[in-house]
Amino acid sequence: MTLAPEKVDEWTVDTLDLDAYLHRIGQDRAKPSAAALRELAKAHILAVPFENVDVVLGQHKGIALEDVIGKLVHRHRGGYCYEHGSLFAAAAEQLGYPVRRLVARVQPQKNGPYTHMTLAIEADGVQHLVDVGFGAGMLVPMPLVDGAVVDQAGWPHRLVADGDRWRLQKKEGEDWTDLHAFTLTPMHRIDYEVYHHYTSTHPRSPFTGQLVIMRLEEGRSRKLVGTEFIVERPDGTTETTQIPAGRLDATLRELDVVLTEDELAKLLTIYPG
């Protein structure tokens, strides 16, 4: 099935200065193709961190594209799935890719909520799952083909079709664990506003009560969750370090999150380390 391009007016795609975005991630304009999409997604993930600092500080401006651009492109900050997804979708559409914005249920085996923004993008006549906002998860797109297995920075991931639902899985030992589940039902901008409101304000949201910062690269995943700095490798080895308040700024910078003096000072007043 071929993806029909969405109406872009709803998403204010023209708000994005494409050249500024490409400069941010170190890429040049390229004709749409599966190979170019792979490089674009990988460059985005390597350049733009997954982080929820503004949510923790109670100062998140929202997920309007102009606010996302100001933060992720011009301030060189990161964000979470709605910010990553909306920014990448706008860039992909300007480059000529058909894009469909989707929502996924995180950890479906645990009855997780439908709150994760992900994308289906067509390249070379094939739909791909492009998940640039899933933290230390996917590094490159995956073809929407039942049973497709793609190496993600050293960790095998698989897509499984289940009726009209797709499941993204990660291999852990000899088993496959569901990460999220989604359909190809397109979303509207207001849908993400609702999801974002829950994710950024509800006391049971995993993002309101602690720092969640993630970086993924070939052979290594780094995370700051609460006060724990966790380094994971594909061979199963894990290193966990407690980060005291005096090391917080240096750790954030190591993860490519650079705050203003006021932001850091405010964060230190609530940081439990």
Side-chain angles (χ1 to χ4, degrees):
M1 180 179 69
T2 299
L3 283 177
E6 293 178 339
K7 295 180 179 179
V8 299
D9 288 348
E10 179 180 0
W11 306 103
T12 64
V13 169
D14 290 341
T15 304
L16 176 64
D17 180 340
L18 181 60
D19 290 328
Y21 167 75
L22 292 174
H23 179 73
R24 167 78 166 99
I25 67 171
Q27 289 287 291
D28 296 321
R29 290 178 182 248
K31 182 180 178 180
S33 69
L37 180 64
R38 179 186 176 93
E39 292 305 311
L40 190 72
K42 184 176 181 179
H44 177 107
I45 292 165
L46 293 176
V48 188
F50 181 99
E51 52 108 332
N52 71 329
V53 173
D54 284 358
V55 171
V56 172
L57 292 179
Q59 65 177 29
H60 203 288
K61 291 184 177 181
I63 57 173
L65 186 56
E66 60 182 11
D67 292 324
V68 172
I69 293 166
K71 180 184 175 188
L72 275 63
V73 176
H74 299 304
R75 283 195 56 201
H76 282 222
R77 280 280 304 280
Y80 62 171
C81 66
Y82 313 114
E83 295 162 290
H84 282 273
S86 60
L87 178 61
F88 192 87
E93 284 183 329
Q94 283 200 29
L95 286 167
Y97 293 94
V99 177
R100 183 172 294 176
R101 296 159 178 84
L102 309 174
V103 65
R105 183 186 296 280
V106 179
Q107 296 184 318
Q109 72 278 16
K110 297 181 180 179
N111 295 319
Y114 273 112
T115 54
H116 174 58
M117 181 181 185
T118 189
L119 306 170
I121 300 181
E122 185 177 313
D124 292 342
V126 177
Q127 294 183 62
H128 294 77
L129 175 69
V130 181
D131 210 343
V132 294
F134 200 48
M138 283 177 54
L139 187 61
V140 295
M142 298 182 65
L144 276 172
V145 175
D146 186 23
V149 176
V150 175
D151 180 273
Q152 299 290 351
W155 288 268
H157 283 57
R158 181 173 72 177
L159 281 170
V160 177
D162 182 9
D164 65 350
R165 187 179 72 155
W166 291 85
R167 287 180 287 139
L168 174 66
Q169 300 178 325
K170 179 180 180 181
K171 193 170 187 180
E172 298 180 339
E174 297 301 316
D175 300 320
W176 291 94
T177 300
D178 288 349
L179 300 179
H180 65 59
F182 61 94
T183 71
L184 297 180
T185 303
M187 296 292 105
H188 292 283
R189 181 173 172 177
I190 187 61
D191 298 322
Y192 296 118
E193 294 287 351
V194 174
Y195 304 143
H196 165 66
H197 178 70
Y198 168 84
T199 305
S200 64
T201 64
H202 198 282
R204 292 183 63 183
S205 164
F207 297 111
T208 54
Q210 64 179 358
L211 288 173
V212 180
I213 302 170
M214 302 184 182
R215 306 294 281 127
L216 181 66
E217 58 191 304
E218 291 290 348
R220 185 172 68 162
S221 163
R222 293 174 296 157
K223 307 174 186 178
L224 178 63
V225 181
T227 61
E228 291 188 339
F229 184 67
I230 306 162
V231 180
E232 298 175 331
R233 300 188 185 279
D235 63 6
T237 58
T238 301
E239 304 168 14
T240 302
T241 307
Q242 291 291 330
I243 303 300
R247 282 284 302 160
L248 180 58
D249 185 34
T251 302
L252 292 175
R253 290 175 181 272
E254 183 179 338
L255 296 169
D256 304 311
V257 178
V258 180
L259 305 182
T260 66
E261 290 185 5
D262 288 344
E263 288 170 336
L264 180 61
K266 185 177 179 181
L267 184 58
L268 286 170
T269 65
I270 58 177
Y271 182 68

